[in-house]
Amino acid sequence: MSSTIKRAWSWYSGCLSRNPFTTKTITSSVIVGFGDIVAQSISIFSHKNEMIINSPTSYSSSPSTSLVRRWREEYNPVRTLKMAFVGYSVVGISSYFWFKWLERFMPGSTLKQVIPKLVVDQLIFSPYMLASNFLMVSALNGKSKDEIKTKMEKDFVPTLYVNWMVWPFASFVNFWLIPYHYRILFANGVSLGWNTYLSIVTNKSSK
């Protein structure tokens, strides 16, 4: 197992060295897409559990089979593809050029250098990424301008506050301890849970 992990890591590191843009953007796409699969599964199974609690006799025979059947019936692969596209076009591409810009104009990883970099990241890039995510997902879901406006007014600021409870520490660790070429990978790893939450928020009804 360890040798397999080492070979996989070596292969991924080689891809980063040979083609960093493609590797980082595809990685972002895969992780955001997987986050949506988790988000949909949570929604489906939570609703299922509520139904079992409210009507236990309806599922007493084979609840596990019913769970699998319900997941197959309700899981939306198109939504996952949309989120994977957002992961590539918004998260991946934006993060690639943002980290590159930060490293060029605010280089270094000492504590004195990391703090201003973190402030700029959270005050500029985080709101931009969140707004872009909301707008792109809403557009892909066919929302009207009024629906998008309502969505932004209702969910953007609360989600940004949650973002600021999660990301400052993660970004601090990223800028301080993680080598430049692995920062998007580290951010993607941390963001798996965040993307799950964001997928739920951005895809829920604005009503």
Side-chain angles (χ1 to χ4, degrees), residues 175-196:
F175 292 138
W176 192 28
L177 300 176
I178 306 301
Y180 167 71
H181 287 297
Y182 296 101
R183 285 177 185 166
I184 290 182
L185 178 62
F186 177 83
N188 283 332
V190 174
S191 69
L192 180 58
W194 172 250
N195 288 330
T196 300

Side-chain angles (χ1 to χ4, degrees), residues 12-158:
Y12 185 80
S13 297
C15 290
L16 276 176
S17 299
R18 292 188 299 271
N19 200 333
F21 175 80
T22 300
T23 303
K24 292 175 182 180
T25 51
I26 289 178
T27 300
S28 295
S29 177
V30 170
I31 291 179
V32 173
F34 183 72
D36 179 70
I37 294 175
V38 175
Q40 290 197 58
S41 299
I42 291 172
S43 297
I44 292 168
F45 295 153
S46 296
H47 179 60
K48 176 69 174 183
N49 288 337
E50 290 177 3
M51 294 179 67
I52 292 175
I53 292 171
N54 293 332
S55 183
T57 57
S58 301
Y59 301 96
S60 58
S61 57
S62 55
S64 60
T65 303
S66 299
L67 282 172
V68 173
R69 183 170 63 248
R70 185 177 183 86
W71 189 88
R72 289 175 177 173
E73 292 172 352
E74 297 192 12
Y75 168 68
N76 184 353
V78 175
R79 174 179 140 172
T80 298
L81 289 175
K82 289 177 181 178
M83 292 304 296
F85 176 73
V86 171
Y88 177 85
S89 61
V90 175
V91 179
I93 294 177
S94 297
S95 297
Y96 176 84
F97 287 107
W98 176 250
F99 281 118
K100 195 171 184 179
W101 183 89
L102 281 180
E103 194 63 18
R104 179 180 177 183
F105 293 102
M106 303 181 73
S109 57
T110 67
L111 192 60
K112 186 177 179 180
Q113 294 165 325
V114 165
I115 296 300
K117 188 184 297 187
L118 178 64
V119 172
V120 170
D121 181 71
Q122 290 303 305
L123 294 182
I124 296 177
F125 190 61
S126 287
Y128 159 77
M129 281 288 290
L130 190 58
S132 298
N133 197 304
F134 270 73
L135 292 172
M136 178 68 80
V137 172
S138 296
L140 290 173
N141 287 336
K143 302 296 184 181
S144 66
K145 290 182 180 179
D146 289 340
E147 289 174 319
I148 294 174
K149 181 180 178 182
T150 301
K151 179 74 174 177
M152 293 292 290
E153 290 175 346
K154 179 181 178 183
D155 291 330
F156 177 76
V157 172

